[in-house]
Amino acid sequence: MDKPTTGAARRQLRSAQWFNDPHNPGMTALYLERYLNYGLTRAELQSGKPIIGIAQTGSDLSPCNRHHLELAHRVREGIRSAGGLAMEFPVHPIQETGKRPTAALDRNLAYLGLVEVLFGYPLDGVVLTTGCDKTTPACLMAAATVNIPAIVLSGGPMLNGWHNGERTGSGTVVWKSRERLAAGEIDYDEFMQIVASSAPSVGHCNTMGTASTMNSLAEALGMSLPGCAAIPAPYRERGQIAYDTGVRAVEMVWEDLKPSDILTREAFENAIVVNSAIGGSTNAPIHLNALARHIGVELSIDDWERVGHKIPLLVNLQPAGAYLGEEYHRAGGVPTVTRELMKHGKIHEGALTVNGKTMGENCATAAVPDGDVIHTYETPLVHDAGFLVLRGNLFDSAIMKTSVISLEFRERYLSDPKSPNAFEGRAIVFEGPEDYHHRIDDESLGIDEHCILFIRGTGPIGYPGGAEVVNMQPPAALIKRGIHSLPCIGDGRQSGTSGSPSILNATPEAAANGGLALLKTGDRVRIDLNKGSADILISDDELKQRRTQLEAAGGFAFPRHQTPWQELYRATVGQHATGACLELATRYQDIAGTIGVSRHNH
């Protein structure tokens, strides 16, 4: 490792203001003495070595991140070998598959807790351990807000799942198998066995779900070392890059390389482009728009279509493709995708990254696409694979993932020669997932292939948190006829592991009295992808009358708060299009730079 320059070595670190302030011996002694009680020495704490936090997101409650409990040992070794001192601390657990009512509720809670740790404790830099969906944005949002040197270490995807000789991908196999269960092709026990086969090792989802998406985008933003996102959790390279990440965290402190130096407008545009090329999750706009607000970069939902829609799908990974995480890593991961995009001028090559080099420098010599797992730009899996932004009297904005539009869906709904890429249908409205599960097979609804399924009350306020429920499967009777997908629209989210081309993340949500709150079962609805429109086909007078009635009834009804945090969350959260942030929190930026350190505790 290069030694710090003389100037850098003389620069007083944040931690010294706790542990070595001769102008305030009383407070210095108070801070110092208790950190000696488990074996640290005064010499270590007053040596001027950088103190690097390890933000530990792994726990028994977070199985997708639990591997970080082991990886942290390698991070520590890297920090110590580079001349630093490691201090590991817990982050509020977020497990996508385990938390009720939804893990989205916990993203902002984990963010708040991590902001307080990074600002209020003697840390000069931090290694952010990420993996499961919301852990990546929560950690990045906090690091951006405080703005001390920070670097992301992904935990890595699980090994490939297999069942009867076929790959079983996390989440994706659930959606496929539940259709088979509804059709009577498999029973309960086989359903459980197939789904369980998709989780063969430590690590997060092995599909291009939100976990792989957000870790890939952390790398595309420049916040993790090249190649970090795709290494499977059990591979030896995962431990090796954990060590390298620890080393680099110390170097970044001496260089004073902060999130604000890396998370520029160019970095966010790179991430949008990469998201389209990898077939990334519809959760990505929520999380990246939130991160942009916390770092102070202008980014809107429309940027996702403007910058990303015309980008082709290059990565052949479930749910949009065939392969899983191990193949993605062996094919070159994010660096190979980025190199191919660079060849066609789609990447800002001068964007700075955590290793001190530019994105162009990092990816110039990456492996070339193999043409199977990672395709070339000229021969993609799908052209124009990014998100479309729709708006109309149903909502101000919602997005649709075009890379997962199946041939069946396109032929049935988007191939009318008189009106291509547009469809109309009779609305079937469900008041949340409980209502959907209770009534989807109700024959009195008359659901056929010409209907559009709507689900509302599932946004940040209504659920609360924003539930992953918009990818609704058709009634069992239609599935048995070979109709595996209906158009689905909602104010909630859907899992990144789902291959459904839903229209989702609707803003404003029904609970914020958006247009979805005015919709009734039986209404005709028209969606036009060419025009980017989504409308209830009723008169303006009828729409106005329904809104008057809604207001007179006190607004859209949603379930009562169940915990103190739910009440606080609902009172402060914004909408999906702007990141579902705690709105008051977006006022706080560069805390370490503008305030320095907090007031003494005595």
Side-chain angles (χ1 to χ4, degrees):
M1 184 194 78
D2 294 336
K3 297 294 182 182
T5 64
T6 303
R10 285 199 301 267
R11 180 171 62 84
Q12 187 186 55
L13 301 178
R14 291 181 83 245
S15 57
Q17 298 181 64
W18 275 261
F19 294 137
N20 196 14
D21 183 2
H23 301 294
N24 195 338
M27 289 307 308
T28 296
L30 186 66
Y31 296 132
L32 186 72
E33 57 92 12
R34 205 51 56 94
Y35 284 93
L36 305 179
N37 77 355
Y38 63 93
L40 289 176
T41 67
R42 178 182 166 191
E44 286 177 293
L45 293 173
Q46 295 188 323
S47 65
K49 294 179 178 180
I51 296 179
I52 309 297
I54 303 174
Q56 179 56 266
T57 60
S59 72
D60 289 350
L61 287 176
S62 303
C64 290
N65 286 30
R66 195 178 186 280
H67 187 41
H68 277 303
L69 297 174
E70 300 301 323
L71 291 174
H73 296 299
R74 294 295 290 146
V75 176
R76 282 179 176 272
E77 290 165 358
I79 290 169
R80 182 166 289 278
S81 72
L85 185 65
M87 287 192 174
E88 186 176 345
F89 60 88
V91 176
H92 178 82
I94 315 177
Q95 176 58 35
E96 194 66 36
T97 58
K99 178 61 165 59
R100 296 184 181 187
T102 168
L105 193 65
D106 285 14
R107 187 201 68 176
N108 291 348
L109 184 58
Y111 154 80
L112 285 176
L114 186 51
V115 166
E116 293 302 313
V117 172
L118 297 183
F119 177 54
Y121 281 89
L123 302 174
D124 301 303
V126 63
V127 174
L128 307 169
T129 66
T130 69
C132 190
D133 302 15
K134 310 299 183 296
T135 59
T136 305
C139 288
L140 282 170
M141 287 158 58
T145 296
V146 181
N147 203 28
I148 63 173
I151 185 170
V152 167
L153 173 66
S154 303
M158 293 182 285
L159 300 177
N160 290 2
W162 294 90
H163 181 77
N164 291 341
E166 295 184 359
R167 291 177 181 84
T168 54
S170 309
T172 302
V173 73
V174 177
W175 320 127
K176 292 179 179 178
S177 297
R178 70 179 186 177
E179 289 180 4
R180 296 181 63 196
L181 182 65
E185 297 174 9
I186 56 176
D187 62 17
Y188 173 85
D189 288 334
E190 187 173 2
F191 176 76
M192 294 298 165
Q193 184 178 1
I194 294 171
V195 173
S197 72
S198 67
S201 73
V202 295
H204 61 66
C205 287
N206 51 27
T207 49
M208 189 54 73
T210 305
S212 288
T213 296
M214 291 311 302
N215 287 283
S216 292
L217 298 189
E219 186 176 328
L221 286 166
M223 287 300 295
S224 60
L225 294 177
C228 181
I231 302 168
Y235 279 27
R236 67 182 182 185
E237 292 95 332
R238 181 53 64 190
Q240 291 166 347
I241 205 165
Y243 175 87
D244 292 340
T245 298
V247 169
R248 183 58 193 155
V250 176
E251 297 171 347
M252 289 175 68
V253 169
W254 290 122
E255 296 166 13
D256 197 27
L257 181 58
K258 302 181 295 297
S260 59
D261 302 314
I262 297 167
L263 295 174
T264 62
R265 170 72 189 196
E266 290 73 22
F268 282 100
E269 290 191 356
N270 284 347
I272 290 173
V273 169
V274 168
N275 187 75
S276 297
I278 64 177
S281 168
T282 51
N283 284 311
I286 299 172
H287 299 318
L288 258 66
N289 287 7
L291 177 59
R293 293 184 70 192
H294 286 293
I295 201 67
V297 169
E298 291 292 329
L299 193 71
S300 75
I301 194 65
D302 292 307
D303 287 322
W304 287 83
E305 179 175 334
R306 185 183 62 80
V307 176
H309 177 53
K310 293 295 183 180
I311 301 300
L313 176 64
L314 305 183
V315 176
N316 188 10
L317 210 68
Q318 297 181 24
Y323 292 109
L324 295 173
E326 288 188 79
E327 288 91 359
Y328 180 47
H329 167 60
R330 288 199 295 267
V334 174
T336 291
V337 174
T338 304
R339 175 180 176 168
E340 186 65 12
L341 292 167
M342 284 165 48
K343 283 177 56 180
H344 296 269
K346 302 301 180 182
I347 292 291
H348 298 288
E349 296 186 33
L352 188 63
T353 74
V354 288
N355 68 357
K357 298 180 181 180
T358 66
M359 187 62 68
E361 291 171 327
N362 285 339
C363 300
T365 59
V368 298
D370 63 357
D372 184 17
V373 180
I374 300 179
H375 286 226
T376 65
Y377 198 94
E378 295 84 359
T379 59
L381 284 87
V382 177
H383 293 281
D384 301 344
F387 301 142
L388 289 175
V389 178
L390 305 173
R391 43 178 47 94
N393 62 21
L394 276 168
F395 34 70
D396 292 345
S397 74
I399 62 171
M400 183 180 191
K401 182 177 177 178
T402 60
S403 64
V404 293
I405 297 176
S406 66
L407 181 61
E408 174 200 350
F409 189 94
R410 184 171 295 282
E411 289 180 346
R412 182 175 296 119
Y413 302 111
L414 301 174
S415 299
D416 183 350
K418 297 180 181 179
S419 190
N421 289 324
F423 59 92
E424 291 184 16
R426 181 169 61 91
I428 306 295
V429 183
F430 296 104
E431 309 294 347
E434 295 88 353
D435 184 38
Y436 160 76
H437 290 298
H438 178 66
R439 293 197 299 132
I440 185 59
D441 291 314
D442 185 345
E443 294 181 359
S444 68
L445 291 174
I447 301 175
D448 59 24
E449 61 269 35
H450 305 296
C451 290
I452 302 175
L453 304 183
F454 284 84
I455 192 166
R456 64 188 179 191
T458 58
I461 298 171
Y463 205 68
E468 292 190 326
V469 294
V470 181
N471 53 319
M472 296 170 283
Q473 73 178 30
L478 289 187
I479 294 174
K480 291 174 182 177
R481 287 174 46 200
I483 298 170
H484 296 281
S485 60
L486 292 176
C488 297
I489 301 177
D491 53 10
R493 303 175 295 112
Q494 76 180 28
S495 171
T497 65
S498 171
S500 170
S502 305
I503 297 170
L504 66 167
N505 302 355
T507 298
E509 62 181 298
N513 297 325
L516 285 177
L518 309 178
L519 185 67
K520 296 181 180 180
T521 291
D523 284 342
R524 297 288 297 177
V525 171
R526 179 174 176 82
I527 308 297
D528 191 323
L529 302 188
N530 291 337
K531 295 179 180 179
S533 61
D535 294 290
I536 318 171
L537 298 180
I538 58 176
S539 68
D540 291 344
D541 287 342
E542 172 67 14
L543 199 66
K544 184 177 179 180
Q545 182 180 354
R546 290 187 187 185
R547 182 162 295 284
T548 300
Q549 292 171 345
L550 179 67
E551 292 171 355
F556 184 85
F558 52 83
R560 64 183 180 86
H561 316 306
Q562 297 171 314
T563 66
W565 171 238
Q566 288 186 14
E567 183 171 356
L568 286 169
Y569 178 90
R570 278 172 159 157
T572 57
V573 73
Q575 292 291 288
H576 277 145
T578 54
C581 300
L582 298 181
E583 290 299 304
L584 63 88
T586 62
R587 302 197 300 266
Y588 296 84
Q589 295 175 0
D590 190 21
I591 293 176
T594 56
I595 298 175
V597 296
S598 188
R599 299 169 66 185
H600 286 295
N601 59 31
H602 281 70

